[in-house]
Amino acid sequence: MAAIPTQSSRTATASTDATQRYTSALSAVTVLFFLWGFITCLNDILIPYLKAIFQLSFAQANLINLCFFGAYFLVSIPAGKVVARLGYKRGMLLGFAVAAVGAFLFYPAAAQRAYGLFLGALFVLAAGITLLQVAANPYVAILGPPASASARLTLTQAFNSLGTTLAPLLGSALILSHLPKLDNATTAASIDVTAVQLPYLIIGVALLLISLVLSRISLPVIEHVADDDAATGAHHHSAWQYRHLLLGVVGIFAYVGAEVAIGSHIVSYLALPSVMGLDATAAGNQVAFYWGAAMVGRFAGAYLLNKFEPAKLLALNAV
């Protein structure tokens, strides 16, 4: 009889096993946040690099952001349907595959020295990342107690910011170091455009390796459940009927617009003779301070969200 666990001990063991599985799953998904933060922030390096090579105006250079974040706008809803059909884990694995294809497309784009091919590769890469985000963000939110969902999301986003902090440093060393002077039009034809090939090949391989590891990890299976509206008597036929969702969309639109626009033009701005006149590599290194501050804020937010109401913190930071 002593060898047979009691009901309470079996329950405790099951609870411990579930906690360990949740922790392992959260750790695996956190790696995804780091990687796509790194990839996204490389755009801040690509914009001045391709602007110099192809002699683009600022409007033309911003097509990089338009193609990248346009994928979020166009692919998000179809990606949600894909995740609903395949599940969170398979959705993330598919996202890895699509993003890897986009990263590999940088090789022929650089070989052909064609700006349009770069934009197409960015769109495919961003489509894969969009699928990853659609699967991973809600997965993190429901992977544990609802009360700490905001803190978990903020913590994983903090590791996303770690990726955005490191990306400018590596991007400056591997890519921007090939630019002699951002304002030197006479050297544009001699700039080595193939400098982007190796970094994005490494990114593509890393995406495939992480997807292989993720495929072998036993993640908790979380099924989609029916809406509670029937039980509460509420009848919401459209997502747009939720007031907090609408306000959230406006908030994210404003904050991401500011966040991306500032990060994308720090290099070009600091390189202006009327500002600091920095060379490309030195200007690119300054981007790390911008995203490093975001990382500090997110780690602080992960702690504070366990101490204060998320709504109050949101209001304070919005002000």
Side-chain angles (χ1 to χ4, degrees), residues 239-263:
W240 301 109
Q241 293 178 332
Y242 292 89
R243 178 172 173 268
H244 281 81
L245 174 64
L246 293 176
L247 294 175
V249 168
V250 174
I252 291 176
F253 175 87
Y255 118 74
V256 173
E259 177 186 65
V260 171
I262 293 170

Side-chain angles (χ1 to χ4, degrees), residues 149-227:
S150 297
R152 283 195 304 278
L153 278 169
T154 304
L155 180 62
T156 52
Q157 288 289 350
F159 283 95
N160 176 274
S161 290
L162 178 60
T164 63
T165 303
L166 295 177
L169 299 175
L170 291 176
S172 296
L174 297 176
I175 299 175
L176 288 185
S177 59
H178 292 266
L179 289 182
K181 257 296 184 179
L182 288 180
D183 58 351
N184 193 344
T186 61
T187 61
S190 63
I191 297 174
D192 183 16
V193 71
T194 60
V196 300
Q197 289 179 325
L198 181 59
Y200 279 90
L201 280 178
I202 294 174
I203 288 172
V205 172
L207 287 166
L208 293 180
L209 289 177
I210 295 175
S211 67
L212 179 62
V213 173
L214 184 65
S215 68
R216 297 179 179 274
I217 295 177
S218 178
L219 297 180
V221 178
I222 301 175
E223 302 290 345
H224 288 274
V225 297
D227 201 336

Side-chain angles (χ1 to χ4, degrees), residues 269-289:
Y269 180 70
L270 296 181
L272 292 174
S274 59
V275 182
M276 294 183 69
L278 298 180
D279 61 51
T281 304
N285 289 336
Q286 306 310 306
V287 183
F289 288 99

Side-chain angles (χ1 to χ4, degrees), residues 9-23:
S9 64
R10 285 198 301 269
T11 302
T13 301
S15 177
T16 301
D17 291 342
T19 301
Q20 290 175 345
R21 290 181 66 207
Y22 282 167
T23 302

Side-chain angles (χ1 to χ4, degrees), residues 45-121:
I45 303 302
L46 273 179
I47 287 176
Y49 181 72
L50 297 182
K51 182 178 182 294
I53 290 174
F54 295 105
Q55 292 297 283
L56 305 173
S57 66
F58 278 106
Q60 291 170 324
N62 273 315
L63 289 176
I64 292 174
N65 276 337
L66 181 64
C67 285
F68 192 88
F69 292 99
Y72 283 58
F73 179 74
L74 296 174
V75 178
S76 290
I77 293 178
K81 295 181 179 179
V82 169
V83 171
R85 178 179 292 271
L86 297 181
Y88 292 108
K89 181 177 179 178
R90 291 180 181 175
M92 285 186 276
L93 293 177
L94 179 60
F96 272 120
V98 174
V101 170
F104 290 140
L105 286 175
F106 272 75
Y107 197 94
Q112 295 296 319
R113 203 179 179 92
Y115 186 49
L117 291 180
F118 276 111
L119 297 180

